[in-house]
Amino acid sequence: MKQPPTHLADLTLAERAEKLKELGVPAFRAKQLSTHYFQHWTTDPAVMSDLPKAGREELVAQMFPPLLTEVRRLRTDNGDTIKFLWRLFDGALVESVLMRYPGRITLCVSSQAGCGMNCPFCATGQAGLTRNMSTAEIVDQVVAANRAIAAGELGENEHDGERVTNIVFMGMGEPLANYKRVMAALHRFVDPSPEGLGMSARNITVSTVGLVPAIRKLADEDLPVTFALSLHAPDDELRDELIPVNNRWKVDEALDAAYHYYRQTGRRVSIEYALIKDMNDHPWRADLLAKKLNQRGRGWVHVNPIPLNPTPGSIWTASDKAVAQEFIERLRAAGVPCTLRDTRGKEIDGACGQLAAAD
């Protein structure tokens, strides 16, 4: 399958210098080009006055081939949420969602065009997997978001230089199924400028439906990102149905791997749990979830119940508020920290995959 052309963000700073030498350009230009992209969020040769005018446009075209073409952008939540629909070089469609909260700006990024995990309640899962995204396609979503913030498109900026502070890999795709490129993207996010964006690893969340060997591998990477396990059911009988990968790695294996992540990194693990009416929101399931988490220890985990953002025409819908509240109260009574997740973007098909499916 054809991959997108190599972009500056696919490469480490040393690799960028090597590539420039191959193009007959002095290696020190790598820092200048990287600063334009990672600090000023631009690929416009017209503003790169520190580069020689002769050959500047050709050099920029070589190092910054266009990766994301905006198809549509939808705003909601009084302008505090923007959903982007991007077309990749081969026509594949992906989405990212930019959200302003008090004191932080979060971007939900995609790591694959489509997804091969086939979870029945997920719009992306129903579309199947087109391909893995490249490192630079992942990174470019963040740079494009920073550009939009700088242009004042996410409402009035609180201060100069405002940018994405938090990244969640909860857009389209299963991040750990695109392990190598996602890891390289994480390095671009956390490496200091001009190598990367200089973000805090603690403000980046990598989620998975439970690819156990990859979770254990991630634990040994020495990158203290926040790890989130999309569990959605505490029992194998239901989880086999909701999360098909559970047929390969069972609930207890996924929780053991998540606990290993905590032990290795000292970082508290998030458990994502989409509350689906009459499906996984029963009181006994809350009790079973608490029991399984507490069996492994205390203080290592935090549960995020999320009201399901239903996809059009789906038989799945969000739990009733009273039922969701009882689920949360049972977890808390068992000593499990729990926060009902804020759902953004309902009126703009906020669940990832909905825009791409409609296009």
Side-chain angles (χ1 to χ4, degrees):
M1 189 176 288
K2 197 179 174 194
Q3 284 294 313
T6 301
H7 181 284
L8 177 135
D10 287 309
L11 309 171
T12 64
L13 192 57
E15 289 167 343
R16 292 167 211 164
E18 279 304 311
K19 175 151 186 184
L20 288 176
K21 282 198 272 185
E22 286 168 25
L23 296 172
V25 175
F28 73 85
R29 300 282 182 212
K31 280 193 175 177
Q32 293 172 310
L33 287 163
S34 300
T35 299
H36 285 298
Y37 184 71
F38 286 111
Q39 266 185 268
H40 305 301
W41 315 312
T42 184
T43 57
D44 179 2
V47 300
M48 299 185 188
S49 54
D50 54 348
L51 298 174
K53 198 154 191 188
R56 187 196 301 171
E57 291 203 8
E58 294 80 358
L59 176 62
V60 169
Q62 281 268 16
M63 297 302 286
F64 301 110
L67 298 177
L68 307 178
T69 304
E70 190 173 322
V71 177
R72 197 177 315 150
R73 135 181 351 197
L74 300 176
R75 282 187 174 79
T76 186
D77 301 318
N78 298 317
D80 283 344
T81 300
I82 303 174
K83 183 159 189 173
F84 299 93
L85 178 64
W86 305 106
R87 180 171 284 111
L88 306 182
F89 83 106
D90 54 0
L93 297 171
V94 299
E95 301 164 19
S96 46
V97 185
L98 184 60
M99 297 161 281
R100 182 190 288 280
Y101 295 95
R104 72 184 195 276
I105 296 177
T106 298
L107 184 71
C108 182
V109 298
S110 293
S111 56
Q112 295 179 309
C115 182
M117 297 296 110
N118 203 28
C119 304
F121 58 90
C122 169
T124 308
Q126 293 316 288
L129 177 65
T130 302
R131 66 169 172 87
N132 284 329
M133 293 174 69
S134 70
T135 297
E137 285 174 328
I138 298 168
V139 173
D140 210 37
Q141 295 171 77
V142 184
V143 172
N146 282 337
R147 204 178 289 135
I149 296 164
E153 291 169 29
L154 192 66
E156 196 172 322
N157 289 354
E158 291 171 9
H159 57 79
D160 284 345
E162 202 173 40
R163 62 180 192 157
V164 171
T165 58
N166 295 62
I167 295 170
V168 292
F169 277 86
M170 294 181 184
M172 296 173 72
E174 162 55 58
L176 296 189
N178 187 15
Y179 190 91
K180 187 177 168 188
R181 295 174 189 89
V182 165
M183 281 310 306
L186 289 174
H187 280 287
R188 302 299 170 271
F189 296 153
V190 303
D191 287 346
S193 178
E195 179 112 20
L197 287 163
M199 297 179 68
S200 165
R202 293 169 181 274
N203 291 346
I204 300 169
T205 300
V206 177
S207 69
T208 178
V209 293
L211 277 60
V212 166
I215 297 171
R216 292 182 172 275
K217 197 173 169 186
L218 183 67
D220 297 330
E221 290 283 359
D222 197 28
L223 261 180
V225 296
T226 298
F227 172 70
L229 175 64
S230 295
L231 194 69
H232 307 313
D235 55 306
D236 286 322
E237 187 180 10
L238 177 58
R239 197 167 192 266
D240 284 350
E241 190 182 329
L242 292 181
I243 312 283
V245 80
N246 199 72
N247 289 284
R248 187 160 179 196
W249 296 292
K250 297 300 184 186
V251 169
D252 282 322
E253 290 174 271
L255 289 176
D256 284 345
Y259 185 62
H260 172 73
Y261 187 88
Y262 164 75
R263 292 292 299 271
Q264 283 292 98
T265 64
R267 302 282 294 133
R268 192 167 67 161
V269 169
S270 292
I271 299 289
E272 307 297 313
Y273 199 103
L275 286 166
I276 308 170
K277 186 175 181 177
D278 300 330
M279 180 62 69
N280 66 351
D281 59 357
H282 310 95
W284 70 265
R285 284 199 160 95
D287 296 343
L288 179 60
L289 175 60
K291 181 184 172 187
K292 290 201 166 192
L293 297 177
N294 286 335
Q295 276 172 348
R296 288 163 174 83
R298 297 279 178 146
W300 72 277
V301 74
H302 184 275
V303 178
N304 287 320
I306 313 156
L308 183 75
N309 206 341
T311 58
S314 172
I315 58 165
W316 317 84
T317 189
S319 301
D320 294 335
K321 278 190 177 172
V323 173
Q325 196 54 44
E326 184 183 355
F327 195 94
I328 289 165
E329 282 168 10
R330 281 178 176 262
L331 287 171
R332 287 180 178 157
V336 177
C338 191
T339 308
L340 186 68
R341 177 77 71 79
D342 175 23
T343 54
R344 287 287 192 95
K346 275 194 171 163
E347 61 271 44
I348 54 168
D349 290 340
C352 263
Q354 293 184 19
L355 260 191
D359 216 69

PDB file of all heavy atoms in Angstrom, residues 92-123:
ATOM      1  N   ALA A  92      -8.190   9.014   1.553  1.00  0.00           N
ATOM      2  CA  ALA A  92      -8.760   8.534   2.819  1.00  0.00           C
ATOM      3  C   ALA A  92      -9.152   9.728   3.689  1.00  0.00           C
ATOM      4  O   ALA A  92      -8.510  10.781   3.647  1.00  0.00           O
ATOM      5  CB  ALA A  92      -7.745   7.659   3.549  1.00  0.00           C
ATOM      6  N   LEU A  93     -10.211   9.550   4.470  1.00  0.00           N
ATOM      7  CA  LEU A  93     -10.727  10.627   5.323  1.00  0.00           C
ATOM      8  C   LEU A  93     -10.464  10.319   6.792  1.00  0.00           C
ATOM      9  O   LEU A  93     -10.693   9.190   7.245  1.00  0.00           O
ATOM     10  CB  LEU A  93     -12.234  10.802   5.108  1.00  0.00           C
ATOM     11  CG  LEU A  93     -12.664  11.234   3.700  1.00  0.00           C
ATOM     12  CD1 LEU A  93     -14.184  11.165   3.565  1.00  0.00           C
ATOM     13  CD2 LEU A  93     -12.168  12.644   3.387  1.00  0.00           C
ATOM     14  N   VAL A  94      -9.970  11.322   7.527  1.00  0.00           N
ATOM     15  CA  VAL A  94      -9.774  11.183   8.976  1.00  0.00           C
ATOM     16  C   VAL A  94     -10.273  12.445   9.662  1.00  0.00           C
ATOM     17  O   VAL A  94     -10.505  13.467   9.013  1.00  0.00           O
ATOM     18  CB  VAL A  94      -8.295  10.928   9.349  1.00  0.00           C
ATOM     19  CG1 VAL A  94      -7.797   9.632   8.731  1.00  0.00           C
ATOM     20  CG2 VAL A  94      -7.404  12.101   8.952  1.00  0.00           C
ATOM     21  N   GLU A  95     -10.408  12.349  10.982  1.00  0.00           N
ATOM     22  CA  GLU A  95     -10.963  13.463  11.747  1.00  0.00           C
ATOM     23  C   GLU A  95     -10.080  13.799  12.942  1.00  0.00           C
ATOM     24  O   GLU A  95      -9.382  12.933  13.459  1.00  0.00           O
ATOM     25  CB  GLU A  95     -12.353  13.085  12.275  1.00  0.00           C
ATOM     26  CG  GLU A  95     -13.324  12.720  11.176  1.00  0.00           C
ATOM     27  CD  GLU A  95     -14.550  11.986  11.714  1.00  0.00           C
ATOM     28  OE1 GLU A  95     -14.817  12.087  12.922  1.00  0.00           O
ATOM     29  OE2 GLU A  95     -15.212  11.316  10.922  1.00  0.00           O
ATOM     30  N   SER A  96     -10.128  15.058  13.361  1.00  0.00           N
ATOM     31  CA  SER A  96      -9.566  15.440  14.660  1.00  0.00           C
ATOM     32  C   SER A  96     -10.504  16.468  15.277  1.00  0.00           C
ATOM     33  O   SER A  96     -11.207  17.184  14.565  1.00  0.00           O
ATOM     34  CB  SER A  96      -8.139  15.966  14.533  1.00  0.00           C
ATOM     35  OG  SER A  96      -8.003  16.889  13.486  1.00  0.00           O
ATOM     36  N   VAL A  97     -10.531  16.505  16.611  1.00  0.00           N
ATOM     37  CA  VAL A  97     -11.463  17.384  17.325  1.00  0.00           C
ATOM     38  C   VAL A  97     -10.684  18.230  18.329  1.00  0.00           C
ATOM     39  O   VAL A  97      -9.956  17.705  19.170  1.00  0.00           O
ATOM     40  CB  VAL A  97     -12.559  16.572  18.058  1.00  0.00           C
ATOM     41  CG1 VAL A  97     -13.578  17.528  18.697  1.00  0.00           C
ATOM     42  CG2 VAL A  97     -13.269  15.615  17.101  1.00  0.00           C
ATOM     43  N   LEU A  98     -10.854  19.545  18.233  1.00  0.00           N
ATOM     44  CA  LEU A  98     -10.153  20.519  19.063  1.00  0.00           C
ATOM     45  C   LEU A  98     -11.140  21.067  20.089  1.00  0.00           C
ATOM     46  O   LEU A  98     -12.226  21.523  19.720  1.00  0.00           O
ATOM     47  CB  LEU A  98      -9.616  21.635  18.163  1.00  0.00           C
ATOM     48  CG  LEU A  98      -8.759  22.733  18.778  1.00  0.00           C
ATOM     49  CD1 LEU A  98      -7.499  22.167  19.424  1.00  0.00           C
ATOM     50  CD2 LEU A  98      -8.394  23.758  17.707  1.00  0.00           C
ATOM     51  N   MET A  99     -10.761  21.017  21.360  1.00  0.00           N
ATOM     52  CA  MET A  99     -11.700  21.394  22.430  1.00  0.00           C
ATOM     53  C   MET A  99     -11.036  22.302  23.451  1.00  0.00           C
ATOM     54  O   MET A  99      -9.987  21.960  23.994  1.00  0.00           O
ATOM     55  CB  MET A  99     -12.210  20.124  23.138  1.00  0.00           C
ATOM     56  CG  MET A  99     -13.002  19.192  22.234  1.00  0.00           C
ATOM     57  SD  MET A  99     -13.128  17.497  22.879  1.00  0.00           S
ATOM     58  CE  MET A  99     -11.501  16.833  22.442  1.00  0.00           C
ATOM     59  N   ARG A 100     -11.661  23.437  23.706  1.00  0.00           N
ATOM     60  CA  ARG A 100     -11.162  24.343  24.750  1.00  0.00           C
ATOM     61  C   ARG A 100     -11.902  24.060  26.056  1.00  0.00           C
ATOM     62  O   ARG A 100     -13.137  24.030  26.095  1.00  0.00           O
ATOM     63  CB  ARG A 100     -11.389  25.809  24.341  1.00  0.00           C
ATOM     64  CG  ARG A 100     -10.846  26.794  25.379  1.00  0.00           C
ATOM     65  CD  ARG A 100     -11.274  28.218  25.085  1.00  0.00           C
ATOM     66  NE  ARG A 100     -10.601  28.795  23.930  1.00  0.00           N
ATOM     67  CZ  ARG A 100      -9.375  29.298  23.946  1.00  0.00           C
ATOM     68  NH1 ARG A 100      -8.676  29.276  25.064  1.00  0.00           N
ATOM     69  NH2 ARG A 100      -8.847  29.821  22.857  1.00  0.00           N
ATOM     70  N   TYR A 101     -11.135  23.831  27.103  1.00  0.00           N
ATOM     71  CA  TYR A 101     -11.662  23.678  28.452  1.00  0.00           C
ATOM     72  C   TYR A 101     -11.017  24.762  29.320  1.00  0.00           C
ATOM     73  O   TYR A 101      -9.993  25.324  28.929  1.00  0.00           O
ATOM     74  CB  TYR A 101     -11.295  22.301  29.027  1.00  0.00           C
ATOM     75  CG  TYR A 101     -11.907  21.124  28.305  1.00  0.00           C
ATOM     76  CD1 TYR A 101     -11.200  20.454  27.312  1.00  0.00           C
ATOM     77  CD2 TYR A 101     -13.176  20.673  28.635  1.00  0.00           C
ATOM     78  CE1 TYR A 101     -11.749  19.353  26.656  1.00  0.00           C
ATOM     79  CE2 TYR A 101     -13.739  19.574  27.988  1.00  0.00           C
ATOM     80  CZ  TYR A 101     -13.021  18.926  27.004  1.00  0.00           C
ATOM     81  OH  TYR A 101     -13.572  17.848  26.360  1.00  0.00           O
ATOM     82  N   PRO A 102     -11.549  25.011  30.509  1.00  0.00           N
ATOM     83  CA  PRO A 102     -10.881  25.985  31.388  1.00  0.00           C
ATOM     84  C   PRO A 102      -9.447  25.534  31.689  1.00  0.00           C
ATOM     85  O   PRO A 102      -9.234  24.438  32.198  1.00  0.00           O
ATOM     86  CB  PRO A 102     -11.750  25.959  32.662  1.00  0.00           C
ATOM     87  CG  PRO A 102     -13.097  25.488  32.192  1.00  0.00           C
ATOM     88  CD  PRO A 102     -12.829  24.529  31.071  1.00  0.00           C
ATOM     89  N   GLY A 103      -8.482  26.344  31.285  1.00  0.00           N
ATOM     90  CA  GLY A 103      -7.093  26.057  31.619  1.00  0.00           C
ATOM     91  C   GLY A 103      -6.365  25.087  30.706  1.00  0.00           C
ATOM     92  O   GLY A 103      -5.186  24.806  30.915  1.00  0.00           O
ATOM     93  N   ARG A 104      -7.042  24.542  29.696  1.00  0.00           N
ATOM     94  CA  ARG A 104      -6.336  23.646  28.781  1.00  0.00           C
ATOM     95  C   ARG A 104      -7.046  23.590  27.427  1.00  0.00           C
ATOM     96  O   ARG A 104      -8.231  23.913  27.320  1.00  0.00           O
ATOM     97  CB  ARG A 104      -6.202  22.234  29.358  1.00  0.00           C
ATOM     98  CG  ARG A 104      -7.499  21.429  29.396  1.00  0.00           C
ATOM     99  CD  ARG A 104      -7.288  20.077  30.081  1.00  0.00           C
ATOM    100  NE  ARG A 104      -8.379  19.152  29.835  1.00  0.00           N
ATOM    101  CZ  ARG A 104      -9.521  19.105  30.517  1.00  0.00           C
ATOM    102  NH1 ARG A 104      -9.726  19.990  31.490  1.00  0.00           N
ATOM    103  NH2 ARG A 104     -10.453  18.223  30.235  1.00  0.00           N
ATOM    104  N   ILE A 105      -6.285  23.193  26.417  1.00  0.00           N
ATOM    105  CA  ILE A 105      -6.855  22.973  25.084  1.00  0.00           C
ATOM    106  C   ILE A 105      -6.454  21.556  24.655  1.00  0.00           C
ATOM    107  O   ILE A 105      -5.265  21.220  24.605  1.00  0.00           O
ATOM    108  CB  ILE A 105      -6.339  24.000  24.062  1.00  0.00           C
ATOM    109  CG1 ILE A 105      -6.788  25.410  24.448  1.00  0.00           C
ATOM    110  CG2 ILE A 105      -6.851  23.659  22.660  1.00  0.00           C
ATOM    111  CD1 ILE A 105      -6.265  26.509  23.532  1.00  0.00           C
ATOM    112  N   THR A 106      -7.451  20.743  24.365  1.00  0.00           N
ATOM    113  CA  THR A 106      -7.223  19.332  24.046  1.00  0.00           C
ATOM    114  C   THR A 106      -7.510  19.069  22.574  1.00  0.00           C
ATOM    115  O   THR A 106      -8.493  19.575  22.031  1.00  0.00           O
ATOM    116  CB  THR A 106      -8.138  18.440  24.917  1.00  0.00           C
ATOM    117  OG1 THR A 106      -7.803  18.641  26.296  1.00  0.00           O
ATOM    118  CG2 THR A 106      -7.983  16.968  24.586  1.00  0.00           C
ATOM    119  N   LEU A 107      -6.662  18.262  21.951  1.00  0.00           N
ATOM    120  CA  LEU A 107      -6.905  17.804  20.591  1.00  0.00           C
ATOM    121  C   LEU A 107      -7.015  16.289  20.607  1.00  0.00           C
ATOM    122  O   LEU A 107      -6.131  15.582  21.105  1.00  0.00           O
ATOM    123  CB  LEU A 107      -5.777  18.223  19.639  1.00  0.00           C
ATOM    124  CG  LEU A 107      -6.035  17.854  18.169  1.00  0.00           C
ATOM    125  CD1 LEU A 107      -7.143  18.719  17.554  1.00  0.00           C
ATOM    126  CD2 LEU A 107      -4.763  17.967  17.339  1.00  0.00           C
ATOM    127  N   CYS A 108      -8.116  15.801  20.060  1.00  0.00           N
ATOM    128  CA  CYS A 108      -8.318  14.365  19.873  1.00  0.00           C
ATOM    129  C   CYS A 108      -7.824  14.019  18.470  1.00  0.00           C
ATOM    130  O   CYS A 108      -8.342  14.559  17.487  1.00  0.00           O
ATOM    131  CB  CYS A 108      -9.804  14.053  20.030  1.00  0.00           C
ATOM    132  SG  CYS A 108     -10.196  12.304  19.888  1.00  0.00           S
ATOM    133  N   VAL A 109      -6.793  13.172  18.377  1.00  0.00           N
ATOM    134  CA  VAL A 109      -6.176  12.884  17.083  1.00  0.00           C
ATOM    135  C   VAL A 109      -6.499  11.472  16.608  1.00  0.00           C
ATOM    136  O   VAL A 109      -6.759  10.566  17.403  1.00  0.00           O
ATOM    137  CB  VAL A 109      -4.634  13.067  17.118  1.00  0.00           C
ATOM    138  CG1 VAL A 109      -4.266  14.497  17.442  1.00  0.00           C
ATOM    139  CG2 VAL A 109      -3.971  12.091  18.086  1.00  0.00           C
ATOM    140  N   SER A 110      -6.441  11.300  15.288  1.00  0.00           N
ATOM    141  CA  SER A 110      -6.585   9.985  14.668  1.00  0.00           C
ATOM    142  C   SER A 110      -5.200   9.404  14.390  1.00  0.00           C
ATOM    143  O   SER A 110      -4.255  10.141  14.115  1.00  0.00           O
ATOM    144  CB  SER A 110      -7.375  10.101  13.357  1.00  0.00           C
ATOM    145  OG  SER A 110      -8.715  10.477  13.606  1.00  0.00           O
ATOM    146  N   SER A 111      -5.109   8.074  14.469  1.00  0.00           N
ATOM    147  CA  SER A 111      -3.839   7.393  14.199  1.00  0.00           C
ATOM    148  C   SER A 111      -3.931   6.413  13.036  1.00  0.00           C
ATOM    149  O   SER A 111      -2.913   5.919  12.563  1.00  0.00           O
ATOM    150  CB  SER A 111      -3.364   6.650  15.452  1.00  0.00           C
ATOM    151  OG  SER A 111      -4.372   5.756  15.901  1.00  0.00           O
ATOM    152  N   GLN A 112      -5.151   6.118  12.597  1.00  0.00           N
ATOM    153  CA  GLN A 112      -5.371   5.264  11.431  1.00  0.00           C
ATOM    154  C   GLN A 112      -6.522   5.844  10.618  1.00  0.00           C
ATOM    155  O   GLN A 112      -7.407   6.505  11.169  1.00  0.00           O
ATOM    156  CB  GLN A 112      -5.744   3.831  11.849  1.00  0.00           C
ATOM    157  CG  GLN A 112      -4.651   3.074  12.582  1.00  0.00           C
ATOM    158  CD  GLN A 112      -5.117   1.672  12.982  1.00  0.00           C
ATOM    159  OE1 GLN A 112      -6.178   1.496  13.580  1.00  0.00           O
ATOM    160  NE2 GLN A 112      -4.327   0.662  12.659  1.00  0.00           N
ATOM    161  N   ALA A 113      -6.501   5.593   9.314  1.00  0.00           N
ATOM    162  CA  ALA A 113      -7.679   5.887   8.489  1.00  0.00           C
ATOM    163  C   ALA A 113      -8.585   4.667   8.625  1.00  0.00           C
ATOM    164  O   ALA A 113      -8.261   3.583   8.143  1.00  0.00           O
ATOM    165  CB  ALA A 113      -7.270   6.100   7.041  1.00  0.00           C
ATOM    166  N   GLY A 114      -9.690   4.863   9.337  1.00  0.00           N
ATOM    167  CA  GLY A 114     -10.537   3.721   9.679  1.00  0.00           C
ATOM    168  C   GLY A 114      -9.971   2.985  10.872  1.00  0.00           C
ATOM    169  O   GLY A 114      -9.074   3.470  11.567  1.00  0.00           O
ATOM    170  N   CYS A 115     -10.490   1.787  11.140  1.00  0.00           N
ATOM    171  CA  CYS A 115     -10.021   0.986  12.267  1.00  0.00           C
ATOM    172  C   CYS A 115     -10.374  -0.471  12.005  1.00  0.00           C
ATOM    173  O   CYS A 115     -11.456  -0.769  11.483  1.00  0.00           O
ATOM    174  CB  CYS A 115     -10.685   1.460  13.565  1.00  0.00           C
ATOM    175  SG  CYS A 115     -10.105   0.553  15.021  1.00  0.00           S
ATOM    176  N   GLY A 116      -9.471  -1.353  12.382  1.00  0.00           N
ATOM    177  CA  GLY A 116      -9.702  -2.777  12.142  1.00  0.00           C
ATOM    178  C   GLY A 116     -10.224  -3.529  13.344  1.00  0.00           C
ATOM    179  O   GLY A 116     -10.327  -4.758  13.311  1.00  0.00           O
ATOM    180  N   MET A 117     -10.569  -2.820  14.430  1.00  0.00           N
ATOM    181  CA  MET A 117     -10.973  -3.508  15.667  1.00  0.00           C
ATOM    182  C   MET A 117     -12.435  -3.965  15.637  1.00  0.00           C
ATOM    183  O   MET A 117     -12.844  -4.803  16.421  1.00  0.00           O
ATOM    184  CB  MET A 117     -10.728  -2.617  16.887  1.00  0.00           C
ATOM    185  CG  MET A 117      -9.255  -2.276  17.120  1.00  0.00           C
ATOM    186  SD  MET A 117      -8.203  -3.703  17.493  1.00  0.00           S
ATOM    187  CE  MET A 117      -7.218  -3.815  15.976  1.00  0.00           C
ATOM    188  N   ASN A 118     -13.244  -3.337  14.757  1.00  0.00           N
ATOM    189  CA  ASN A 118     -14.601  -3.823  14.486  1.00  0.00           C
ATOM    190  C   ASN A 118     -15.550  -3.787  15.682  1.00  0.00           C
ATOM    191  O   ASN A 118     -16.447  -4.628  15.793  1.00  0.00           O
ATOM    192  CB  ASN A 118     -14.513  -5.261  13.922  1.00  0.00           C
ATOM    193  CG  ASN A 118     -15.745  -5.621  13.107  1.00  0.00           C
ATOM    194  OD1 ASN A 118     -16.383  -4.751  12.525  1.00  0.00           O
ATOM    195  ND2 ASN A 118     -16.103  -6.891  13.094  1.00  0.00           N
ATOM    196  N   CYS A 119     -15.397  -2.820  16.577  1.00  0.00           N
ATOM    197  CA  CYS A 119     -16.322  -2.697  17.713  1.00  0.00           C
ATOM    198  C   CYS A 119     -17.676  -2.207  17.202  1.00  0.00           C
ATOM    199  O   CYS A 119     -17.745  -1.179  16.519  1.00  0.00           O
ATOM    200  CB  CYS A 119     -15.752  -1.739  18.755  1.00  0.00           C
ATOM    201  SG  CYS A 119     -14.107  -2.226  19.338  1.00  0.00           S
ATOM    202  N   PRO A 120     -18.772  -2.911  17.511  1.00  0.00           N
ATOM    203  CA  PRO A 120     -20.049  -2.644  16.841  1.00  0.00           C
ATOM    204  C   PRO A 120     -20.707  -1.313  17.177  1.00  0.00           C
ATOM    205  O   PRO A 120     -21.535  -0.823  16.419  1.00  0.00           O
ATOM    206  CB  PRO A 120     -20.935  -3.819  17.293  1.00  0.00           C
ATOM    207  CG  PRO A 120     -20.308  -4.309  18.551  1.00  0.00           C
ATOM    208  CD  PRO A 120     -18.844  -4.073  18.412  1.00  0.00           C
ATOM    209  N   PHE A 121     -20.327  -0.696  18.324  1.00  0.00           N
ATOM    210  CA  PHE A 121     -20.978   0.569  18.710  1.00  0.00           C
ATOM    211  C   PHE A 121     -20.199   1.783  18.216  1.00  0.00           C
ATOM    212  O   PHE A 121     -20.572   2.920  18.505  1.00  0.00           O
ATOM    213  CB  PHE A 121     -21.151   0.642  20.236  1.00  0.00           C
ATOM    214  CG  PHE A 121     -19.867   0.519  20.999  1.00  0.00           C
ATOM    215  CD1 PHE A 121     -19.120   1.640  21.314  1.00  0.00           C
ATOM    216  CD2 PHE A 121     -19.390  -0.722  21.396  1.00  0.00           C
ATOM    217  CE1 PHE A 121     -17.925   1.528  22.002  1.00  0.00           C
ATOM    218  CE2 PHE A 121     -18.195  -0.848  22.090  1.00  0.00           C
ATOM    219  CZ  PHE A 121     -17.467   0.283  22.396  1.00  0.00           C
ATOM    220  N   CYS A 122     -19.112   1.566  17.464  1.00  0.00           N
ATOM    221  CA  CYS A 122     -18.216   2.648  17.060  1.00  0.00           C
ATOM    222  C   CYS A 122     -18.336   2.909  15.565  1.00  0.00           C
ATOM    223  O   CYS A 122     -18.227   1.982  14.755  1.00  0.00           O
ATOM    224  CB  CYS A 122     -16.787   2.264  17.425  1.00  0.00           C
ATOM    225  SG  CYS A 122     -15.526   3.340  16.730  1.00  0.00           S
ATOM    226  N   ALA A 123     -18.537   4.191  15.191  1.00  0.00           N
ATOM    227  CA  ALA A 123     -18.704   4.544  13.772  1.00  0.00           C
ATOM    228  C   ALA A 123     -17.468   4.179  12.958  1.00  0.00           C
ATOM    229  O   ALA A 123     -17.560   3.658  11.846  1.00  0.00           O
ATOM    230  CB  ALA A 123     -18.998   6.039  13.637  1.00  0.00           C
TER     231      ALA A 123
END
